Amino acid sequence: MILGKKVRLKPTEEQEHQLWKSAGTARWAYNWALEQQEKNYAKGGKFFSDNELRKELTQLKQTEEFSWLYDVSNNITKQAIKDACDAYRKFFRKLADKPNFKSRKKSKPSFYNDVGKLKVKAGIVLIEKVGWIKSSEQLPIGVNYTNPRVLFDGKYWYLSLGIEQEQSTDPLTNEVIGIDVGVKELVVCSNGMIFKNINKSRVVKKLEKRLRRLQRKVSRKYELNKEGSRFIKTFNIIKVEKQLRILHRRLKGIRNNHNHQATNAIVKTKPCKVVMETLNIKGMMKNRHLSKAIAQQKLYDFKSKLQYKCERQGIELVEADKWFPSSRLCSDCGAIKQDLKLSDRVYTCECGLAIDRDINAAINLSRYELVV
C-alpha cells in the first residue's frame, strides 16, 4: 500500500523565490487549461485532451510573451494541465462539481515535481530548477516515490509524496469495536474508550476567540480604507491577514493531531474488525444549528485516517447501513425506542436499562453483523 509522507523544507531566500515562481506558474497553467476547455465547450466543441493542450502550450512558449515559462520546470506546467483536464473530465462524468479557477488569494500554492527528477540524500532533497533544499526530516532512500508535490501551508514549505509500504503482519485479537462519532464527543467506542471534542478544550476556545477578534479587526481596516466600491489593502491589513493565516494553520494542526491520536489509539488495540456508522456529512451540514460544530469536528478527515490505518494493519473496517438504528436500539433487550430525541443523552428502556446514548450506539455497532 502507498502511504503519504509530508516533510518540511528549509529553503534559502533565493530558493524560496524560485518556489513561489514555480507555484505561480502551476496556478497559471491550470487556469489557462481550464479557460481553453471553457471556451471550447461554449463553442460546442469536443473535450480537449491534455496532450493537445500541452502541444499548444509548447508553441506558446516559443513566443517572446510566454518565454518566462522556461524559468521553471517543464513538468510543472505539464502536470497542472493534466490536473485541470482530469477535473473537467470528472465534472462531465458527474463525479465532481465544476472546477473553479485557482485564485492567488485563496488557493494553496503548490506544484508537481517529477518523480524521476526527485533525488534524496541525507537531510536534503533535490527539487527541479530550485536545487538541493534542506529538509527537517530524513526521507527514506532507495524506495519508490509517487506524486511528489511541493506546497506552502501559510507558514512553511513542505514536500508531500507517497511511499510504498508493506501491510503489517502483526496478529490481531478477536475483538470487534463499534465506534459512534458525534458532536458532544468525537468518538465513543464500545470497549470504553472515549475521545473528547477538542473544540471544547480551553486552548481551542482561546484561539477561536482570538480569531474572531482578528477577523473583526481586519474587517474594520478594510472599511476604513474603502475608496468608493474598491477596497485598498494596506500594509497593516497584510500584517493582520498573515496573523489570521497562521492562526487558521494552528487550529487546523490541533484538530488534525487530535484525529491522528484518536485513530492511532483505536488501531493499536489490534481489533479484527472496526464498525462505524455511515456518515452523511452533507446532510448533517444542512442543520444550521450544528453545521459549524460538525465542520470543526472534521469527521470525514477522521474517517479517512481510520480507513488507511486499518488497511495498513489488516483490520477490517465496516460501515453500518445509514438506516441501522444504532442509537434507538436497546443494547440489552433489542427493543427499538421510536420516540428518542436528539436531546435525550441517556438511553432508558422499558427493560430497566439506563445507559449513555453514545455508548449504547457503539455497543450496537459492535454487534452490527449479528443484528442485521
Side-chain angles (χ1 to χ4, degrees):
M1 64 178 297
I2 295 174
L3 289 179
K5 183 76 174 175
K6 192 173 170 183
V7 179
R8 183 189 158 192
L9 300 176
K10 298 179 178 179
T12 62
E13 190 174 335
E14 186 180 344
Q15 288 173 335
E16 188 170 11
H17 177 73
Q18 187 63 24
L19 290 174
W20 279 112
K21 188 182 288 186
S22 299
T25 305
R27 185 186 66 252
W28 178 87
Y30 181 94
N31 289 340
W32 176 82
L34 213 57
E35 186 182 10
Q36 303 311 307
Q37 296 285 14
E38 290 278 350
K39 287 179 179 178
N40 185 51
Y41 177 69
K43 293 176 182 177
K46 294 181 179 179
F47 177 80
F48 279 140
S49 69
D50 56 292
N51 285 329
E52 291 177 285
L53 291 176
R54 285 177 186 178
K55 288 176 183 177
E56 189 177 338
L57 186 66
T58 302
Q59 293 175 352
L60 280 176
K61 287 171 72 173
Q62 310 300 324
T63 63
E64 186 179 346
E65 185 183 355
F66 295 96
S67 60
W68 53 271
L69 290 169
Y70 284 108
D71 294 342
V72 301
S73 170
N74 186 43
N75 293 309
I76 292 174
T77 52
K78 278 184 178 181
Q79 188 62 39
I81 291 170
K82 187 176 184 298
D83 290 343
C85 291
D86 287 345
Y88 213 71
R89 191 181 291 110
K90 285 179 181 177
F91 163 64
F92 275 109
R93 291 177 181 174
K94 297 183 179 180
L95 298 173
D97 295 331
K98 188 177 181 181
N100 297 318
F101 290 95
K102 290 189 176 181
S103 163
R104 182 182 296 179
K105 296 178 181 178
K106 295 181 181 180
S107 63
K108 183 182 287 186
S110 65
F111 61 91
Y112 173 81
N113 191 85
D114 188 65
V115 180
K117 303 290 177 68
L118 180 68
K119 307 294 180 185
V120 178
K121 290 184 180 179
I124 52 174
V125 292
L126 178 64
I127 306 297
E128 282 187 275
K129 290 213 174 181
V130 179
W132 290 96
I133 304 180
K134 290 181 181 179
S135 59
S136 61
E137 187 181 340
Q138 176 61 50
L139 280 169
I141 301 173
V143 297
N144 294 326
Y145 306 118
T146 58
N147 196 26
R149 304 269 176 162
V150 179
L151 54 96
F152 183 72
D153 75 338
K155 190 174 183 180
Y156 300 121
W157 285 95
Y158 288 89
L159 173 63
S160 174
L161 43 76
I163 300 174
E164 195 171 339
Q165 288 191 2
E166 294 182 1
Q167 194 179 60
S168 174
T169 55
D170 294 342
L172 303 175
T173 64
N174 294 324
E175 184 183 16
V176 178
I177 295 181
I179 59 174
D180 180 72
V181 297
V183 176
K184 185 174 180 288
E185 308 289 351
L186 173 63
V187 179
V188 176
C189 301
S190 58
N191 63 356
M193 290 194 300
I194 297 175
F195 301 94
K196 65 180 182 179
N197 181 347
I198 194 67
N199 299 296
K200 294 180 180 179
S201 65
R202 181 175 170 271
V203 174
V204 173
K205 282 184 176 180
K206 190 175 179 181
L207 290 173
E208 285 282 354
K209 186 176 181 180
R210 188 180 169 209
L211 181 67
R212 289 193 295 271
R213 284 178 175 174
L214 284 175
Q215 286 171 335
R216 288 196 295 267
K217 184 177 181 180
V218 76
S219 180
R220 285 195 299 269
K221 287 184 181 296
Y222 268 117
E223 287 296 329
L224 287 170
N225 293 280
K226 188 176 180 181
E227 292 184 359
S229 60
R230 195 164 66 95
F231 292 100
I232 306 299
K233 184 175 281 194
T234 63
F235 284 111
N236 279 334
I237 290 174
I238 293 170
K239 185 170 68 176
V240 178
E241 285 184 341
K242 185 180 179 181
Q243 292 173 350
L244 280 168
R245 283 197 304 272
I246 292 171
L247 203 53
H248 277 298
R249 178 184 178 275
R250 189 177 175 193
L251 283 165
K252 182 182 176 182
I254 290 171
R255 290 166 182 146
N256 186 52
N257 180 61
H258 186 61
N259 280 350
H260 268 302
Q261 288 180 340
T263 50
N264 279 339
I266 292 168
V267 170
K268 279 181 181 178
T269 59
K270 302 288 182 183
C272 64
K273 188 184 295 182
V274 174
V275 184
M276 70 179 297
E277 57 190 329
T278 301
L279 299 175
N280 181 17
I281 307 294
K282 195 173 182 180
M284 290 190 289
M285 290 294 288
K286 290 179 181 178
N287 186 331
R288 64 188 180 89
H289 301 291
L290 295 174
S291 57
K292 184 180 178 181
I294 291 165
Q296 288 178 340
Q297 280 288 65
K298 300 185 72 171
L299 298 179
Y300 184 80
D301 178 66
F302 171 84
K303 176 189 167 182
S304 61
K305 283 180 171 58
L306 187 64
Q307 277 180 326
Y308 85 77
K309 288 175 184 179
C310 285
E311 185 183 346
R312 182 173 58 182
Q313 297 296 331
I315 300 168
E316 184 184 358
L317 179 63
V318 177
E319 285 190 73
D321 184 82
K322 65 179 181 179
W323 303 115
F324 177 65
S326 58
S327 296
R328 293 185 287 113
L329 187 68
C330 177
S331 58
D332 190 19
C333 69
I336 295 178
K337 189 174 183 179
Q338 300 290 354
D339 59 344
L340 185 70
K341 299 177 183 176
L342 191 62
S343 57
D344 297 336
R345 301 315 306 170
V346 177
Y347 184 94
T348 54
C349 183
E350 293 179 356
C351 69
L353 177 71
I355 187 174
D356 181 83
R357 172 201 181 103
D358 295 332
I359 294 175
N360 179 67
I363 293 170
N364 288 326
L365 286 166
S366 67
R367 302 169 183 169
Y368 174 67
E369 294 189 345
L370 298 174
V371 177
V372 177

